[in-house]
Amino acid sequence: MKTLLPLLRSASLTALLALAACGGEAPADKDPEAATTRPSVEGGAVPEAAVRADAPRLTLMGDGLMIGTGEGTTLPFGMAQDAAIVAMRQARGMPQITRNAECGVGTMDSAKFGPVTLNFTDGKLTGWHVTEGGNAVTVDGMSPGLKLDDVRSERSVEMIDSTLDGEFTYGLPDGTVIGGFAAADGRITSLHTGETCFFR
C-alpha cells in the first residue's frame, strides 16, 4: 500500500474552514451525523457534491480507509487532516468543510465528499461516515443499501439501545468495530467507525 506523504498541502483548506459553520441541531432521520455535515456559508447552503463517475471505490477499514483497492492509497486514523483532504480531493473533488464545537469528543472538523464524510479532531483523521451511493465497501464486503439480515447471517451483530433508531455494531475480522444504522425495513442506511458526532 502507498502511504501518502504528510507534506501534501491544501491551499484552499484554510479558506474553506473559515467559511464553513455548523450548528448543534438534532440529526436528520436518514443521516444521524447530519448536524456535523450541514454547512452554511454567506449566501446560502453549499450544495452537496455528487460522486464523480470516475471516482475510485473506497475500501472502508476499522482504522481508516483506502482510496482504491489492493495497492490503493491508505488514509489511516491519525493521518494529518490536510494530507487526508488533499488525497480525497484528488480522487473525489472538492469537499464541504464544516466545524462543530459541540461534539462529545471536542471540536470536530468534517470533510463531506458526497455520501462519504471524514472526521478530524486535533488536526488528525479520526473517523469516517458513509451513506448510500458513496461507491464504498468495507474490507469484509458490507456497504449501505444491503439488508441488516445479510450481515447477521455471517457476522455477530449487536443492536444498540439508544435514542437513535436502528443503531448497531459488528466486528471486522481484525477485531475493529464498525457501527451503522438500519431503517425500519432492515436496509442499512449508513456505516461509520472511529470518532463521530451523533446527538443522542
Side-chain angles (χ1 to χ4, degrees), residues 18-33:
L19 287 173
C22 179
E25 303 172 28
D29 290 341
K30 294 184 179 179
D31 185 357
E33 203 167 43

Side-chain angles (χ1 to χ4, degrees), residues 47-174:
E48 181 168 322
V51 177
R52 297 197 316 239
D54 63 344
R57 168 170 282 189
L58 298 180
T59 302
L60 306 172
M61 303 176 291
D63 58 357
L65 67 158
M66 182 193 301
I67 300 172
T69 58
E71 296 298 319
T73 299
T74 303
L75 280 60
F77 287 167
M79 182 179 189
Q81 178 173 338
D82 284 11
I85 290 179
V86 167
M88 280 289 287
R89 189 179 67 184
Q90 291 172 345
R92 298 229 161 180
M94 290 294 292
Q96 300 173 24
I97 305 292
T98 65
R99 172 166 288 178
N100 193 327
E102 299 180 6
C103 296
V105 297
T107 299
M108 179 178 289
D109 294 326
S110 296
K112 186 177 177 73
F113 299 84
V116 178
T117 300
L118 303 186
N119 293 327
F120 305 91
T121 51
D122 298 324
K124 305 293 184 182
L125 176 64
T126 54
W128 53 255
H129 176 254
V130 177
T131 57
E132 289 187 70
N135 190 21
V137 62
T138 64
V139 290
D140 62 339
M142 293 296 105
S143 62
L146 297 178
K147 290 286 188 176
L148 185 57
D149 284 346
D150 294 335
V151 181
R152 280 199 180 102
S153 65
E154 300 180 6
R155 298 159 182 83
S156 179
V157 173
E158 179 182 355
M159 300 306 298
I160 304 299
D161 183 14
S162 79
T163 58
L164 300 176
D165 293 337
E167 187 171 4
F168 67 91
T169 62
Y170 79 93
L172 292 176
D174 63 2

Side-chain angles (χ1 to χ4, degrees), residues 185-197:
D185 63 359
R187 180 177 52 86
I188 297 172
T189 56
S190 68
L191 294 172
H192 62 268
T193 199
E195 293 184 347
T196 56
C197 195

